[in-house]
Amino acid sequence: MDSSKPAKAVKNVVEAAAEKVTGVLTPQIPGAPGSAPPSVEEPTTPHDPLPPKPEQGAPQTRTPTGAETGAPTTANGQQGAHLTTSQGARLRDTDHSLKAGPRGPILLQDHHFREKITHFDHERIPERVVHARGAGAHGLFTSYGTAEGVTRAGFLKKGRETPVFVRFSTVLGSRGSADTVRDTRGFATKFYTDEGTFDLVANNMPVFFIQDAIKFPDIIHAGKPHPDREIPQAQSAHDTFWDFVSLHTEAQHHTIWNMSDRGIPRSYRTMEGFGVHTFRLVDEAGATVLVKFHWKPKLGVHSLTWEEAQMLAGIDPDFHRRDLYDAIEAGAYPEWELGIQVFPDTPEETFAGIDLLDPTKIVPEELAPVQPVGKLVLNRTPTNFFAETEQVAFHLGHLPPGIDVTNDPLLQGRLFSYVDTQLTRLGGPNFSQIPINRPHAAVNDMLRDGFHQQAVHAGVAPYRPNSLDGGNPFPAGDDEQAFVDVPVTVAQAPKVRANPVSFDDHFSQVRLFWLSMSPVEKEHIVRAYTFELGKCYHQAIKERQLRCLANIDPVLCAQVAAGLGLPVPEPTVPPAEVTPSPALSQVGKQWPADGRMVGIVVDADSDLDGVGEARRAVFGAGMVPLLVAAHGGTVRDMPVQRTFATGRSVEFDALLLAGAPAPAPDAIPARDAKAGAADSSTVDPRVLLLVEECWRHAKPIGAWGGGAAVLRQAGVSDSPGVVAADSAVDAFSAVKQLMAGHRVWERFPATIS
C-alpha cells in the first residue's frame, strides 16, 4: 500500500476490510476487536481459527538460528478446529473439573485441570523495571542511501528495505498505569538487518537525567512510587523525585524537558525520538565519524494539554496505544524519518564546545543539521501482545558492522545492564530465540544449552579452534562484513571515579531550552513546575528546586515561586549567555493531519445529507470521522460511534456540529454527571460541555446549519478557530486548514514573552 497517500490508504483498507467481513462496501471505523463480526448465538460448527485482521502481523517464521522456513506467519499460531491439550490430544470438555461424583472433590488425576491452571499460574513474567508500560508495531525501514558515505552498514545502503519492530513506552509507570502521564517515552527500534540485529534504543527526549550509568538506580528509585506506600504511580510529582533532581543538578536539563509539553505527547505518532548518546560510524575504508540519531515524525511534534492528559488518564488510559493501532488499522500509517547529526571524530570528542560524550547535552540543530538517511513506516499491529510487545528484548550492544559505541559513561553502563535484565525477565540466556527476537541473519554462535533452548545444534565441537567439526565456525574477515571494534586510542590517565570538567555545566543548556520556547510553551512549563512542586510535602525541597530555577532563568523562577507562594532566591551562578534553538519549539509550523479523529455531532433534525458529505470528506482527507449522537445505533444508516453519555472531547482532534440536539432523556445528573444541574438550555448540556472543552483545549470547531446555534449558546461563536459555514464541506475544509497547526494557539493566553 502506498503510505505516502494516506487518504487513499484509509479508503482502501477500510473498504477491503468491510467487504471481506460483511460483504458490503462501506467505510469502517477502526477498532473492531476481531476479523469477523460475531453472531448473536454461540457458534457450534467446528472451523479453523479465523485469520488475523488485515492490519495484523507476526514475527517471520524463522528458525532459532535465523533461517527462513517459508511457512506463513500463521504457522506459529493455534492450529485446527478442536480444543486440545498442549500435546495435541483433543478434549471434549473444558468447563468441568474431574470429580469423585457430581458433588465430590476434584481428583488429582485431572491432568487437563492441572495443565490449564498451572499454565495460568505462570502466565505473567516479571515486568520491566523501567519502560514497563508499552505498545509495539511492525514496520519497514527504507534507506535513502545518504549515509553510505559515512558507514558501511548494509541496511543504510540506497533502497535497502529492512523489517523492524518498534516498541513505545513510558519510563516510570507499571504495566497497568495510564498512557498519558507526564513522563519520558521510550522509542526502541529493532532493525532485522541481514548483517545482524541493530537495536536503536531511543527516547522522546534527547538528554537524560544522569551522566554516568552508576546513577541509574538512584534516579529510578527517586522517580518510582515511594517504597512505603507505593504511591504516586507513574508520576514525578512527589518529594523523592524533586529531592534527587534538586540535589543532583545534572538532572535539570532532562527535568525541564519533562516539565515541557514534550512530557505529555499527543500520540506516539507525533513524538520525536532521539538516540541520546553519541555513536561512532565506520565507512568501508575504516574512517570514522561521530553521530547522534534522530527520529522525525511525518505529522510533526505535538502534545496534549495538561487538562487533556488528566482527563484521558481516567476516560481512556490506553489512549496512546489505541491511537497507534487505530491509525494502522485505518491505513494512516505512522511515519518517521531517521536522521543523523554528523561530527568529526576528533580526540577531544567535542563539537562547538559541547562535549559529545555528555548525555545531558544536545547539539542544537542550527549548529549541526539533522540529515535524513531513511524512512520508517509502521504498517502492522502485533498478532499477540505478549509474544511480541512484551517479550521483545532490546540491547544497545546489538550493532551491525559499520556502527560502534563511544565512551559515553551512561552508554557504557547500559551495554552491561540490558543483557543482565533479560536473563531475569525472559528466563535465561536464550531470549534471542523467542520469535520476535530472532535475527534475520545466519547464527552460528557456539552458545549451547540453558533454559528454553529451542535450537537443535548439530556437531560435537562448539569451541574454537576445532577439527572434529571441520573447523566450523570460521572467523570472518573485513571483506566479509565482519563487525570491527574501532581501535580508538584511550588516553593515558589515572584510574579514578570522576567526570571530565566539561560535564560540570548543568544549567546553560537548560536555559537554552527555556529561551527557545514560545510564550504559550513557557506558560505550560511554569504550570508544570508549579503543579509538580506543589505536590511535594516538604518546603525545603521546593526551596532547593527554586534555587536551581534561579540559575536557569529569573522569569521562570519568579513565576514558579509566585505559584508556590515562596520568595524568589538569588542565583548561585549567573545565567548563561545562549542562543535559542527554534528547532526545539513545537509551535508555529504546519503538519499533515493523517489519522486524526473528527467528532461530528448529529441529531435527527440535522442536515443528514451534509453529515454524509462531511463523513466522506473526513475519510478522504485521511482522517477518521466519529458520529456523536444522543443514542447508539444509526442515523440514516450511518453508524453512531459515540453517544453524549460515552463521548468526551479528549477523543477528538476537531469538532463539527451538524445540529443543535435538544436535551436527551438521560441528560440528568442522576444518569450522567456531565449533564450538570438542570437549566433552561434548548441544547443538550453534554453537547455544550463538549464544545466548551474543545474550545478550552484550543481545538478547531466548525458548524453549519443548526450547529451554529450551539456555538452561540456556548458563547464561543466569535472566537479564533471557530467556524460557522454555509455547508458541511465548507465547515470541514476550514477546520482541516486549522488542524495543520495542531491547535488554535491564539486561544491560549500567555503572560510571558
Side-chain angles (χ1 to χ4, degrees), residues 148-215:
E148 288 190 58
V150 292
T151 180
R152 62 190 292 194
F155 82 99
L156 289 175
K157 294 188 181 303
K158 185 175 179 59
R160 186 71 59 88
E161 294 184 338
T162 303
V164 300
F165 186 80
V166 177
R167 185 178 187 272
F168 303 104
S169 56
T170 53
V171 172
L172 290 177
S174 68
R175 278 191 64 192
S177 57
D179 279 349
T180 60
V181 295
R182 183 181 292 281
D183 196 3
T184 304
R185 266 71 181 177
F187 189 145
T189 306
K190 186 176 290 292
F191 295 82
Y192 299 99
T193 88
D194 56 11
E195 297 175 324
T197 301
F198 172 42
D199 286 346
L200 180 54
V201 191
N203 284 340
N204 73 321
M205 300 180 187
V207 292
F208 204 63
F209 288 106
I210 53 175
Q211 296 168 325
D212 192 308
I214 200 170
K215 296 297 297 180

Side-chain angles (χ1 to χ4, degrees), residues 32-105:
S35 59
S39 59
V40 175
E41 303 298 330
E42 178 183 355
T44 56
T45 303
H47 59 79
D48 286 338
L50 294 175
K53 295 169 65 180
E55 77 280 3
Q56 289 180 320
Q60 291 186 11
T61 52
R62 293 177 176 262
T63 70
T65 50
E68 293 187 56
T69 67
T73 57
T74 53
N76 282 331
Q78 61 270 38
Q79 306 295 321
H82 296 93
L83 177 68
T84 74
T85 68
S86 63
Q87 302 302 310
R90 290 187 178 181
L91 294 163
R92 65 172 64 249
D93 188 341
T94 190
D95 296 331
H96 305 93
S97 302
L98 188 65
K99 308 179 186 71
R103 298 171 63 82

Side-chain angles (χ1 to χ4, degrees), residues 387-406:
E388 298 162 77
T389 306
E390 193 59 23
Q391 289 196 124
V392 68
F394 297 95
H395 175 39
L396 284 87
H398 292 164
L399 299 164
I403 303 177
D404 201 2
V405 298
T406 59

Side-chain angles (χ1 to χ4, degrees), residues 286-363:
T288 61
V289 294
L290 301 179
V291 300
K292 286 184 176 289
F293 289 106
H294 295 248
W295 288 113
K296 298 286 189 181
K298 172 191 174 184
L299 303 181
V301 185
H302 308 302
S303 297
L304 298 167
T305 68
W306 180 228
E307 184 184 29
E308 284 179 308
Q310 291 175 303
M311 291 170 63
L312 281 164
I315 294 167
D316 187 3
D318 306 303
F319 181 72
H320 283 157
R321 67 174 60 177
R322 190 187 312 281
D323 175 271
L324 175 67
Y325 296 145
D326 281 356
I328 294 173
E329 183 181 355
Y333 296 146
E335 292 185 16
W336 290 261
E337 278 194 317
L338 179 64
I340 54 175
Q341 287 180 297
V342 182
F343 317 104
D345 189 359
T346 62
E348 296 78 20
E349 296 172 313
T350 62
F351 181 81
I354 301 166
D355 194 324
L356 297 175
L357 301 190
D358 183 350
T360 69
K361 302 293 194 301
I362 65 167
V363 177

Side-chain angles (χ1 to χ4, degrees), residues 657-681:
L657 299 157
D666 64 341
I668 55 176
R671 301 281 174 81
D672 188 351
K674 297 195 303 298
D679 59 28
S680 59
S681 172

Side-chain angles (χ1 to χ4, degrees), residues 180-185 204-207 209 236 241-242 252-266 272 274 301-306 309 510 513-518 520-530 532 549 556 584-587 745:
T180 60
V181 295
R182 183 181 292 281
D183 196 3
T184 304
R185 266 71 181 177
N204 73 321
M205 300 180 187
V207 292
F209 288 106
S236 55
F241 174 82
W242 289 99
Q252 289 292 319
H253 194 186
H254 193 163
T255 299
I256 199 170
W257 277 77
N258 250 17
M259 294 304 103
S260 77
D261 291 342
R262 302 276 187 149
I264 43 175
R266 158 60 179 80
E272 255 179 316
F274 303 91
V301 185
H302 308 302
S303 297
L304 298 167
T305 68
W306 180 228
V510 197
F513 183 84
W514 167 257
L515 294 179
S516 301
M517 295 294 100
S518 66
V520 65
E521 289 171 306
K522 288 180 179 179
E523 292 285 357
H524 293 172
I525 291 172
V526 168
R527 181 189 305 170
Y529 274 114
T530 305
E532 298 250 332
L549 298 184
L556 170 61
L584 297 176
S585 175
Q586 297 179 210
V587 176
W745 295 105

